[in-house]
Amino acid sequence: MSNAEREATPIRRQYLELKRKYADCILFFRLGDFYETFDADAELVARELDVVLTSRPVARDTRIPMAGVPHHAAENYIARLIERGYRVAIAEQIGSETINGLVPREVRRVMTPGTVVEAGMLDAAKPSYLAAIVGEMLDREAPASERIAIGLAYCDITTGEFCATQIESELDLQRELARIQPREIVMPETGDARKPSPDHQMPMAPLPAYRFELGHARQTLLDQFKVGTLQGFGLEEKPMALRAAGGIIAYLRETQPAALKQLSEVRTYSTSHFMGLDAVTRRNLELTESMRPAVKGKAATLLGILDRTHTPMGARLLRTWLSQPLLDRAAIEERLGRVDTLFGDALTRAQLREALKNMPDLERLASRAVSGLATPKDLLNLKLACEKCAEIEDGGLAGSPASIPKLQSSISLIDAAIKAEPDDDGFIKPGYSAELDGVHLAARDAKTWVANLERVERERTGISTLKVGYNKVFGYYIEISQAKSNLAPADYIRKQTLTNAERYITPQLKEYETLILNSDERCIEIEKRLLIELNQMVAAQAKDLFEAAHTIARLDVAASLAEVAARNNYCRPRFNDDHRIEVRDGRHPVIEQLLSEIPFTPNDTSIDRNARVLVITGPNMSGKSSYMRQVALIVLMAQIGSYVPAQSANLCLVDRIFTRIGAQDELTAGQSTFMVEMVETANILHHCTPRSLVILDEIGRGTSTYDGLAIAWSVIEYLHNHPERCAMTLFATHYHELIALAGTLPHVRNLNVAVSDEGGQVVFLHKVIEGGADRSYGIHVAQLAGLPPAIVHRAQDVLKELESGADNQDPGDKRQVGGAQMAIFAESSPALDKLKTIDPNSLTPLEALTVLYELKKLSGV
């Protein structure tokens, strides 16, 4: 103990002792009606939460920083800290008895981003994942990205979901993290020979490395699931997944032990069973977040278009499906079958959607009951959710095989116990607990006896001015004026003497007073015990409750997808085994809904064995990028089990979608726009397969014309010729030279976006047609953007000169294309001869103006 600590006040020493145990947390220390923070914690809290930073004396001539928040409003403040990645330890007062003059305190809860369960800190439409990662070096001679085995586990303690997998590269790890978007990641304190490196922006939680050791992790999981082997969970064949799963359980034991009741099993999976989508592709396709900063929320995303769910469970499930498209054709067809049933029966769909409205979050409510955290209000909401489930099932709206378990026992249990509205007597219904009813009855009888006491005692004593009163210091009393005090009966016990009166108590009054004053406390204790028992009884029905929640979620998603399909004129996709994508009148699902006045122009797409690479040319703003994105989105929607925006769609199953679209600097990583473009392109070329769909937009535009053209040319050849990389590719470009590849590479086909150019009036038709474009219309786009007319006119003149020079070059000499100079700079011209004779330093302003007119005349401009 340091000198400063020895000199500190007792309560300061108590705080420091707890802070040592939770050094990596912000310690909220309960003092009366406030949670206080001290020292560096106080400075951080004051800065992050914008609360007043004060100070507190802790020793002679010593003050420390202090900042606090009211305990009744603490959840909102803690939520803001959690959202920013901080960990918060809550130190509560234990009882009211003091020890050596100090109320004992202990940390009752550690709140971290991945372990919160409070509804106010959660997004009902998103899972709240806690992840654990552990890595181990494999072949040291292999490339760095391929020589590491990684265990990844994640859980959502608000729903009981618990999954684990084993992957073999950091690239696959980044894909999975981009998919699940964990709120917190647990990793060993001391890494293995090579640790995986998740996104540094994700909150990290260190855990002692031994918790991830195979033997320790195995025993942790055996104890958690109360089994003798993990073989049934598929973990023994995935030792890294086993280690990560054990790490999660160990972390929860320290931070949220109540949540462990939720995790009754772990599901292992393989990333090879789902379509691969990296973070870049998710961003470029705007699946759940828009790339446009001005667009808030999910409205301009695919999720925003497809999500017409009415329940939180359905909203979370749809988000999960969207992030994890299937590769199993049978599973896709099963989902499509449910959508198809509701799509074809508008009446049942409408009734089902009406029944789903305002349904509480059955999944998370059941989880709170399992954890013993459900409040009376939670249980009433759970009952309402169960009643709605029964309404759906009894009304025949669930359909076979989506029948919902019977939940009447949970409904009856809660209905018998919990009042619809709590009152002065608490939240437990009369008749549910004989013990509680007895306390209430005794308290009411005692209050009635006290209320009648004044009348009774006046009659007994004959003192008409006798009063019965109460105050917080002395409790109940009988008051008699000094003039009548001689008439006080013998059983009166003097309690207090006032100037003009005497106050008394009787043994019977004291007995009733004790009964009245203790009844509230006893009722609270009994209700707490009954609530714990109710949670346990509801938790016994957890299997049926969770099964019902999952069934409701699937029905909600199917109804949502069917509703969107009906409203937006989507079709059911068909699947083939021919590596073929055939779409007739396809549309971009998001853009067509955002266009309020202009009708969306549909387009066909045909990719097959004879046309694997589509080279798309055409002007900016004509719709090349939108066209390519719409193809990718149609494929993705089909593989989550959704109808698609097209007249018809016959698709093959795609294992991965890759996109390289747009320009983005990674300045913080020291990467320019062009470097980012090349890194993303390299990633695609290293990992695509013949079953992949590749979207490439303007490859090579970030460098010089001929460097860029050469790179784009080579990329197309590589994708066309490499037997293991010949992915289905849409390649948009402004390099018109690339259209020549269709004449030399048999599986390349040219497309272009049609333009109407009549009398100088250019109109983009947004229609994709066969053949290559011969112009980019860049100057026209610049004019539409509002560049000054002088710049537009000058650019047109320069373009004519450049094109004229190019036409006069040897067509075979590609090095000279675009190298012509304007006539004014020819080797010999009158204007140039005049310029050679001018001394600018000797000209007056008027003479300079005269010379300028002469040069203009000589140059013929």
Side-chain angles (χ1 to χ4, degrees):
M1 182 183 296
S2 66
N3 289 334
E5 193 168 339
R6 277 193 292 269
E7 294 177 2
T9 61
I11 198 166
R12 170 68 172 170
R13 290 197 294 271
Q14 186 185 60
Y15 169 82
L16 291 174
E17 183 180 348
L18 289 173
K19 181 62 182 175
R20 274 196 298 271
K21 295 179 181 178
Y22 297 92
D24 59 342
C25 300
I26 300 171
L27 181 59
F28 271 45
F29 191 75
R30 182 71 178 268
L31 284 176
D33 291 336
F34 280 77
Y35 285 114
E36 300 289 357
T37 59
F38 302 100
D39 305 318
D41 283 358
E43 294 172 346
L44 185 152
V45 165
R47 181 179 68 250
E48 294 286 352
L49 302 181
D50 193 25
V51 298
V52 176
L53 181 65
T54 62
S55 64
R56 178 185 180 96
V58 294
R60 187 174 56 190
D61 301 325
T62 303
R63 301 183 71 89
I64 59 168
M66 179 176 78
V69 299
H71 83 279
H72 61 82
E75 183 175 311
N76 292 331
Y77 289 105
I78 294 172
R80 288 160 60 187
L81 292 172
I82 295 297
E83 191 63 31
R84 296 171 194 180
Y86 295 106
R87 296 155 52 88
V88 179
I90 311 295
E92 296 284 6
Q93 297 174 179
I94 309 302
S96 56
E97 298 294 328
T98 61
I99 299 176
N100 297 325
L102 196 64
V103 177
R105 289 175 176 83
E106 67 179 36
V107 170
R108 285 294 183 90
R109 172 88 185 278
V110 176
M111 301 179 72
T112 73
T115 63
V116 295
V117 295
E118 288 74 10
M121 298 187 189
L122 297 169
D123 185 335
K126 290 182 180 180
S128 179
Y129 288 129
L130 169 70
I133 303 172
V134 60
E136 182 177 86
M137 181 75 76
L138 293 177
D139 182 3
R140 294 179 180 270
E141 302 301 321
S145 62
E146 299 176 2
R147 65 188 186 201
I148 183 170
I150 300 171
L152 170 65
Y154 62 90
C155 69
D156 183 346
I157 61 173
T158 70
T159 63
E161 182 182 4
F162 189 15
C163 303
T165 189
Q166 186 165 303
I167 46 188
E168 297 182 357
S169 75
E170 288 194 12
L171 179 65
D172 286 337
L173 172 63
Q174 299 301 341
R175 285 199 188 102
E176 277 300 276
L177 291 178
R179 177 182 71 82
I180 65 179
Q181 296 181 329
R183 298 187 67 179
E184 183 179 11
I185 298 176
V186 182
M187 293 183 71
E189 281 179 335
T190 56
D192 299 301
R194 177 181 169 86
K195 282 204 311 184
S197 52
D199 186 334
H200 66 280
Q201 294 180 347
M202 297 178 182
M204 308 295 294
L207 194 68
Y210 76 89
R211 300 289 181 87
F212 289 91
E213 291 175 358
L214 187 61
H216 190 281
R218 178 183 286 110
Q219 190 59 51
T220 298
L221 293 170
L222 291 173
D223 294 343
Q224 171 65 20
F225 300 135
K226 297 178 175 57
V227 294
T229 176
L230 300 176
Q231 199 73 37
F233 299 108
L235 284 172
E236 293 294 355
E237 296 79 19
K238 294 181 170 64
M240 298 303 293
L242 188 157
R243 291 173 61 187
I248 274 193
I249 297 299
Y251 184 68
L252 287 174
R253 282 181 179 173
E254 292 185 359
T255 58
Q256 184 64 293
L260 292 173
K261 299 175 184 177
Q262 303 277 82
L263 308 181
S264 59
E265 61 181 8
V266 59
R267 177 178 65 87
T268 55
Y269 70 100
S270 170
T271 55
S272 63
H273 294 162
F274 305 98
M275 179 192 289
L277 296 167
D278 58 28
V280 173
T281 297
R282 294 176 190 276
R283 182 181 69 239
N284 286 335
L285 295 182
E286 298 181 295
L287 299 183
T288 59
E289 295 181 8
S290 174
M291 291 192 296
R292 287 158 284 187
V295 179
K296 301 296 184 182
K298 64 181 184 180
T301 66
L302 183 59
L303 178 63
I305 297 300
L306 298 182
D307 190 359
R308 294 294 179 269
T309 57
H310 284 320
T311 70
M313 301 89 75
R316 292 194 296 270
L317 182 63
L318 178 57
R319 182 181 286 267
T320 298
W321 284 11
L322 201 56
S323 69
Q324 205 171 35
L326 301 175
L327 296 180
D328 184 332
R329 185 167 170 178
I332 296 170
E333 293 288 3
E334 181 183 352
R335 290 183 183 178
L336 284 169
R338 288 198 291 269
V339 176
D340 199 38
T341 299
L342 292 169
F343 178 82
D345 189 343
L347 178 60
T348 298
R349 184 175 75 246
Q351 291 173 336
L352 174 60
R353 286 173 55 77
E354 184 64 28
L356 290 170
K357 283 183 179 178
N358 302 316
M359 175 178 279
D361 195 338
L362 177 57
E363 187 176 33
R364 282 184 171 169
L365 290 169
S367 294
R368 289 181 64 80
V370 171
S371 297
L373 300 174
T375 65
K377 184 177 179 181
D378 289 336
L379 292 175
L380 288 174
N381 281 328
L382 189 145
K383 172 193 158 192
L384 176 59
C386 291
E387 289 170 342
K388 281 185 165 287
C389 287
E391 176 186 340
I392 292 170
E393 178 68 16
D394 296 343
L397 302 177
S400 181
S403 59
I404 302 172
K406 300 297 184 183
L407 304 176
Q408 188 55 48
S409 58
S410 296
I411 296 172
S412 300
L413 175 65
I414 298 169
D415 186 58
I418 307 294
K419 295 176 182 176
E421 292 289 343
D423 53 31
D424 292 340
D425 287 338
F427 58 83
I428 296 293
K429 281 185 175 181
Y432 180 76
S433 166
E435 180 186 10
L436 184 61
D437 289 346
V439 174
H440 283 311
L441 180 60
R444 282 194 294 272
D445 288 346
K447 290 176 182 178
T448 301
W449 184 89
V450 171
N452 293 328
L453 181 62
E454 186 173 283
R455 176 183 56 80
V456 170
E457 290 302 304
R458 283 182 178 182
E459 292 176 357
R460 181 165 81 96
T461 63
I463 304 172
S464 60
T465 56
L466 180 149
K467 297 178 181 178
V468 174
Y470 172 84
N471 68 39
K472 291 183 178 180
V473 176
F474 294 104
Y476 287 101
Y477 57 83
I478 300 170
E479 184 177 294
I480 302 175
S481 66
Q482 287 287 1
K484 300 286 186 179
S485 61
N486 62 315
L487 299 178
D491 61 340
Y492 277 24
I493 303 169
R494 182 179 282 107
K495 182 76 173 178
Q496 184 184 16
T497 300
L498 303 177
T499 302
N500 299 316
E502 295 285 349
R503 290 179 175 175
Y504 304 88
I505 60 171
T506 67
Q508 196 173 16
L509 176 59
K510 191 63 179 177
E511 179 183 342
Y512 279 113
E513 176 189 80
T514 301
L515 184 60
I516 293 170
L517 295 180
N518 290 343
S519 65
D520 288 344
E521 186 175 335
R522 283 196 62 199
C523 287
I524 290 172
E525 291 176 356
I526 294 170
E527 287 198 327
K528 282 182 178 178
R529 186 175 73 248
L530 292 175
L531 184 59
I532 292 171
E533 293 172 358
L534 278 169
N535 271 275
Q536 293 171 343
M537 288 186 280
V538 171
Q541 311 294 323
K543 182 178 179 182
D544 286 345
L545 291 170
F546 284 127
E547 185 179 340
H550 298 159
T551 301
I552 289 295
R554 290 192 297 270
L555 284 170
D556 195 14
V557 171
S560 177
L561 294 177
E563 182 72 12
V564 172
R567 288 185 182 186
N568 299 343
N569 192 28
Y570 291 178
C571 73
R572 176 170 179 163
R574 308 295 174 185
F575 295 97
N576 64 71
D577 299 317
D578 301 329
H579 293 273
R580 180 162 49 92
I581 295 177
E582 297 284 350
V583 178
R584 181 184 171 193
D585 287 341
R587 311 181 312 273
H588 192 294
V590 180
I591 294 177
E592 74 163 343
Q593 297 304 314
L594 296 180
L595 293 174
S596 57
E597 298 179 359
I598 306 172
F600 188 89
T601 302
N603 278 295
D604 297 343
T605 303
S606 180
I607 304 176
D608 54 31
R609 296 182 186 277
N610 296 320
R612 298 288 290 177
V613 181
L614 307 184
V615 177
I616 308 168
T617 50
N620 284 315
M621 291 183 60
S622 61
K624 299 191 302 296
S625 294
S626 296
Y627 170 73
M628 295 191 299
R629 284 186 174 99
Q630 92 181 23
V631 175
L633 290 174
I634 286 172
V635 168
L636 186 146
M637 288 171 64
Q639 289 185 221
I640 70 168
S642 170
Y643 277 35
V644 299
Q647 187 68 30
S648 65
N650 193 339
L651 312 169
C652 60
L653 292 182
V654 168
D655 64 353
R656 292 179 180 179
I657 295 178
F658 294 97
T659 64
R660 166 53 233 169
I661 299 173
Q664 182 177 0
D665 285 309
E666 294 287 352
L667 298 179
T668 56
Q671 296 182 347
S672 67
T673 300
F674 183 64
M675 174 58 81
V676 172
E677 177 185 326
M678 290 298 98
V679 168
E680 292 179 1
T681 303
N683 171 54
I684 293 171
L685 297 177
H686 281 305
H687 296 96
C688 66
T689 74
R691 292 182 58 203
S692 301
L693 177 62
V694 173
I695 305 297
L696 296 173
D697 190 16
E698 303 298 347
I699 294 298
R701 295 287 289 182
T703 185
S704 70
T705 301
Y706 296 118
D707 280 357
L709 175 58
I711 292 170
W713 191 292
S714 300
V715 166
I716 293 176
E717 287 184 338
Y718 184 86
L719 287 167
H720 180 278
N721 296 331
H722 198 298
E724 297 179 3
R725 301 286 178 255
C726 53
M728 296 170 282
T729 304
L730 282 75
F731 193 106
T733 184
H734 279 92
Y735 295 133
H736 303 131
E737 294 85 350
L738 295 178
I739 65 177
L741 286 170
T744 58
L745 301 177
H747 305 313
V748 172
R749 189 176 69 181
N750 289 325
L751 300 176
N752 75 93
V753 185
V755 175
S756 172
D757 186 358
E758 297 182 4
Q761 294 296 316
V762 177
V763 178
F764 299 150
L765 302 179
H766 305 292
K767 193 69 177 178
V768 177
I769 59 175
E770 294 279 349
D774 57 355
R775 294 176 59 189
S776 291
Y777 297 93
I779 296 176
H780 178 72
V781 174
Q783 184 178 15
L784 292 176
L787 259 62
I791 294 177
V792 173
H793 295 154
R794 182 60 180 147
Q796 290 170 340
D797 291 339
V798 173
L799 179 62
K800 289 177 183 177
E801 294 287 351
L802 292 173
E803 290 177 341
S804 175
D807 290 341
N808 293 328
Q809 295 294 329
D810 180 355
D813 186 5
K814 290 188 177 292
R815 293 170 300 175
Q816 299 299 316
V817 175
Q821 295 180 335
M822 293 179 287
I824 191 172
F825 297 117
E827 291 184 6
S828 178
S829 73
L832 185 59
D833 294 340
K834 178 66 177 177
L835 279 171
K836 291 177 180 178
T837 66
I838 295 172
D839 180 8
N841 295 322
S842 65
L843 294 176
T844 66
L846 183 59
E847 289 171 336
L849 186 60
T850 302
V851 169
L852 183 59
Y853 277 110
E854 290 179 8
L855 287 173
K856 180 176 176 66
K857 184 176 180 181
L858 289 171
S859 64
V861 177

